[in-house]
Amino acid sequence: MPAGDAVHPRAGAPGAVAARDRARREALALAVGEALVAPASAHRVWPVRSACGARFEAGPGVLEIPALAGCAGAIEALAACACSLGPRLEARVASLFRAHRALLALELDALGTAWLFALAERLTACIRREARRAGLRAGAALNPGDVGIALGEQRRVLALAQAASHAITATPQGMLRPAKSLCFVVALGRALTAPAGGRCARCRAHARCSVRPA
């Protein structure tokens, strides 16, 4: 790859696919060689003390989750979850943009996003296994900011997940730090029905996302 790649190849331009493939391979080698990913995750399961419509009192906190209002009576506990890739990858992406290596920066960022989603799915699978062992069913993983749970719930979810112990926080504007982080909540109960679709189906960016599985 040339020293500078500030001009991103058009999707239909000759050589665009080959250029992206080269950049993706270089991004992967960079991530591994420089140990840019430090996965971390945290979760806590809290019994629901009270549920009224979309309002759930669980552990030391209260969450407003309209997406769960219709099955509130079946929810016995809430799992608050957070995961992150750490700060090094996003810092490297920023340095690549400053060095006018835009294509490489974009591919490294895309790899990070895919790895973050995979980490979240592994954490969700862990919650489901724990639920089965306790005789409970697990609902859908709900991310603050998606349909049915406001972005304003993000800080409360992080607090319930005790995410600060892994240096996962949120700014007053609602940005997670490190940037490659996610938080979500999963409802648990013996009478819950299996969720329809997956995490991607409920995301506002579903239609235009370039990372989700086909």
Side-chain angles (χ1 to χ4, degrees), residues 40-89:
S41 62
H43 77 277
R44 281 290 304 269
V45 176
W46 298 97
V48 171
R49 303 191 312 275
S50 172
C52 181
R55 180 184 173 89
F56 296 85
E57 296 182 11
V62 176
L63 293 174
E64 293 281 343
I65 312 176
L68 299 178
C71 58
I75 297 173
E76 301 173 44
L78 291 174
C81 314
C83 57
S84 175
L85 299 184
R88 291 197 292 270
L89 188 142

Side-chain angles (χ1 to χ4, degrees), residues 94-121:
S95 75
L96 288 168
F97 274 117
R98 289 194 299 271
H100 307 292
R101 303 295 306 278
L103 181 54
L104 181 56
L106 290 169
E107 291 299 334
L108 182 59
D109 185 74
L111 279 176
T113 299
W115 290 335
L116 178 60
F117 286 163
L119 180 60
E121 290 301 324

Side-chain angles (χ1 to χ4, degrees), residues 8 10 21 30 40-41 45 48-49 95 120 129 132 148 156 169 189 202 209:
H8 194 281
R10 296 191 307 274
D21 286 344
L30 195 64
S41 62
V45 176
V48 171
R49 303 191 312 275
S95 75
R129 287 194 298 271
R132 283 196 298 270
R156 299 185 184 95
T169 61
R202 291 176 296 278
C209 180

